[in-house]
């Protein structure tokens, strides 16, 4: 099956969300997700960090390091060792979540074909992991190369497994890169905290992402896939970072329009003109949401000011501004319902264009 997601992905406007939720009952969250983010919206695989060690963002992502053991030390997750009890727990949580997803989708009359999931980006994960000697993995060229390669293959295996046990045939993988700027700027502290590590060459970062994308997307997959880069728009030299990632093959970005300047918006427009996608954060969970007319006009104003046509709105997906980890179930439902209403109105605008 071909994997050019820009050709295969639907062209209408829809809603989705971040994958992180509060609580310890994933089935309850599935009920919310399936109820509010069913077709035509993009449902997701929930993550519940409140379940404890191994359900956290780093532990969850580390379970996808193919053929690499890991354990938890006082200073953080360590790789290149035999699995510790915390690693085994992390793997058990992931397998349980995979099986529960299969059960939930299998019980549906019309099982979902599309799914979004979230993991740490390769460089933010490498920056958060430690070697057996206690130093950060990004301090060693060979170690960071091997870890990022293992991560790509392990994430691919995760998608392959989900495709085997569920009805899903289209995956959107969000790669959160909160430490990307720190990696490039050389502001990651050593394990001692007394100095900072050298900045990673941009050529190495670009090359590693090129290889990462090659592993995740190829013509042998029995499903479609795309990766979405979540690079905080508040990070220094955001446009420069985006250019680097686009050169490596990135085609979709999560963006927060609050505080974005004209230069950033122009880069977003360039991505859309090149058949890319944007995942636009438009509502803050727990806060009062504007009505549909006001909310849609707020979205359309910068879009049209950039010279983008209403017929191009299909390149946009709506998301909340942040995850639901500090929200009640009622607040999460209300936010998703309002996002869906916005998406429907924008889709009608697109169709009428």
């Amino acid at each position: 099956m071909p994997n050019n997601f820009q050709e295969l992905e639907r062209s209408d406007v829809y809603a989705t969300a971040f994958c992180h939720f509060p609580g310890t009952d994933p089935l309850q969250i599935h009920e919310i997700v399936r109820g509010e983010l069913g077709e035509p919206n993009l449902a997701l695989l929930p993550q519940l960090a409140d379940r404890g060690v191994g359900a956290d963002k780093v532990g969850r992502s580390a379970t996808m390091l193919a053929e690499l053991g890991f354990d938890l030390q006082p200073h953080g997750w360590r790789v290149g060792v035999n699995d510790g009890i915390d690693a085994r727990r992390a793997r058990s949580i992931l397998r349980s979540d995979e099986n529960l997803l299969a059960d939930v989708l299998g019980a549906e009359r019309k099982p979902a074909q599309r799914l979004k999931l979230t993991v740490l980006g390769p460089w933010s994960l490498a920056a958060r992991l430690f070697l057996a000697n206690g130093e950060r993995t990004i301090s060693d060229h060979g170690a960071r190369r091997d870890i990022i390669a293992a991560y790509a293959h392990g994430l691919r295996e995760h998608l392959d497994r989900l495709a085997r046990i569920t009805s899903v045939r289209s995956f959107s993988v969000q790669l959160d890169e909160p430490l990307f700027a720190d990696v490039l700027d050389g502001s990651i502290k050593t394990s001692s905290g007394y100095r900072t590590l050298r900045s990673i060459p941009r050529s190495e970062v670009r090359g590693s992402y090129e290889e990462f994308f090659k592993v995740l997307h190829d013509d042998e997959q029995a499903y479609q896939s795309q990766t979405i880069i979540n690079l905080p728009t508040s990070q220094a030299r955001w446009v420069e970072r985006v250019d680097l990632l686009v050169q490596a093959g990135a085609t979709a970005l999560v963006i927060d329009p609050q505080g974005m300047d004209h230069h950033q918006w122009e880069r977003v427009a360039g991505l859309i003109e090149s058949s890319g996608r944007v995942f636009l954060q438009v509502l803050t969970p727990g806060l009062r949401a504007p009505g549909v007319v006001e909310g849609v006009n707020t979205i359309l104003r910068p879009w049209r000011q950039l010279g983008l046509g209403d017929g191009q709105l299909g390149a946009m997906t709506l998301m909340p501004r942040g995850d639901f980890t500090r929200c009640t179930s009622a607040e999460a439902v209300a936010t998703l319902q309002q996002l869906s209403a916005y998406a429907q109105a924008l889709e009608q605008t697109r169709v009428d264009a």
Side-chain angles (χ1 to χ4, degrees):
M1 179 178 293
N3 280 281
N4 187 330
F5 206 93
Q6 284 65 51
E7 294 179 1
L8 293 169
E9 173 64 312
R10 59 195 308 141
S11 60
D12 52 343
V13 185
Y14 52 87
T16 189
F18 287 92
C19 296
H20 305 102
F21 287 79
T24 58
D25 183 358
L27 182 57
Q28 180 185 32
I29 303 303
H30 271 294
E31 292 173 354
I32 294 174
V33 169
R34 305 311 305 170
E36 305 303 331
L37 287 178
E39 292 288 344
N41 295 316
L42 178 58
L44 46 86
L45 178 61
Q47 293 186 34
L48 284 70
D50 290 346
R51 288 180 289 182
V53 174
D56 60 288
K57 294 180 182 180
V58 180
R60 175 75 159 214
S61 298
T63 61
M64 299 176 199
L65 292 168
E67 301 181 1
L68 282 180
F70 64 107
D71 65 6
L72 184 60
Q73 297 295 310
H75 53 276
W77 290 98
R78 181 178 64 166
V79 296
V81 296
N82 293 328
D83 274 1
I85 187 172
D86 297 309
R88 293 193 293 272
R89 186 173 188 275
R91 296 190 194 280
S92 176
I93 291 173
L94 179 61
R95 294 295 177 269
S96 176
D97 284 351
E98 292 173 344
N99 293 332
L100 178 59
L101 175 69
D103 291 342
V104 168
L105 297 186
E108 293 183 344
R109 180 173 301 177
K110 187 178 180 181
Q113 297 286 306
R114 303 159 62 234
L115 187 76
K116 179 174 179 284
L117 52 101
T118 300
V119 293
L120 283 175
W123 282 99
S124 290
L125 177 61
R128 295 289 299 276
L129 296 175
F130 294 84
L131 298 169
N133 63 8
E135 192 49 85
R136 294 186 185 274
T137 57
I138 61 169
S139 65
D140 182 277
H141 178 271
R144 61 186 184 247
R145 178 196 60 210
D146 292 345
I147 284 170
I148 291 176
Y151 190 36
H153 286 281
L155 183 53
R156 169 66 184 269
E157 291 171 2
H158 177 51
L159 297 182
D160 290 346
R161 192 160 50 245
L162 288 176
R164 284 198 306 270
I165 66 175
T166 73
S167 56
V168 177
R169 290 298 174 267
S170 176
F171 293 98
S172 296
V173 183
Q174 180 176 312
L175 301 174
D176 289 343
E177 284 282 17
L179 298 180
F180 195 70
D182 296 314
V183 167
L184 289 172
D185 293 343
S187 56
I188 301 288
K189 291 186 178 298
T190 60
S191 57
S192 68
Y194 291 116
R195 61 185 181 86
T196 56
L197 298 172
R198 292 180 178 179
S199 60
I200 307 298
R202 281 152 178 73
S203 59
E204 180 184 342
V205 173
R206 182 174 58 250
S208 70
Y209 250 111
E210 288 174 350
E211 294 302 316
F212 197 86
F213 292 145
K214 285 180 183 178
V215 172
L216 286 184
H217 314 301
D218 65 41
D219 293 337
E220 296 181 2
Q221 291 172 330
Y223 51 84
Q224 305 168 32
S225 64
Q226 77 163 339
T227 43
I228 309 156
I229 305 296
N230 179 22
L231 185 66
T233 51
S234 60
Q235 286 189 354
R237 299 200 293 278
W238 182 83
V239 171
E240 176 187 322
R241 317 301 194 200
V242 168
D243 285 342
L244 185 153
L245 291 165
V246 169
Q247 290 167 11
T251 57
L253 296 174
V254 175
I255 63 170
D256 183 352
Q258 285 192 342
M260 282 181 60
D261 58 32
H262 186 69
H263 189 38
Q264 290 174 309
W265 272 115
E266 284 185 331
R267 187 64 191 89
V268 169
L271 180 70
I272 294 168
E273 295 286 1
S274 301
S275 301
R277 297 190 63 84
V278 292
F279 286 68
L280 190 71
Q281 301 177 69
V282 295
L283 290 178
T284 301
L287 298 184
R288 177 188 172 277
V292 173
V293 173
E294 180 184 352
V296 167
N297 285 336
T298 300
I299 295 168
L300 287 174
R301 192 173 302 115
W303 189 268
R304 290 168 173 168
Q305 288 174 345
L306 287 168
L308 295 169
D310 291 353
Q312 295 172 286
L313 286 169
M316 176 194 299
T317 301
L318 302 185
M319 294 178 61
R321 182 171 287 112
D323 58 39
F324 293 118
T325 52
R326 298 180 183 274
C327 294
T328 65
S329 296
E331 290 171 336
V333 168
T335 299
L336 293 175
Q337 288 177 340
Q338 194 72 350
L339 276 175
S340 296
Y342 288 4
Q344 290 173 17
L346 287 165
E347 171 59 12
Q348 190 59 53
T349 302
R350 185 192 71 82
V351 171
D352 293 342

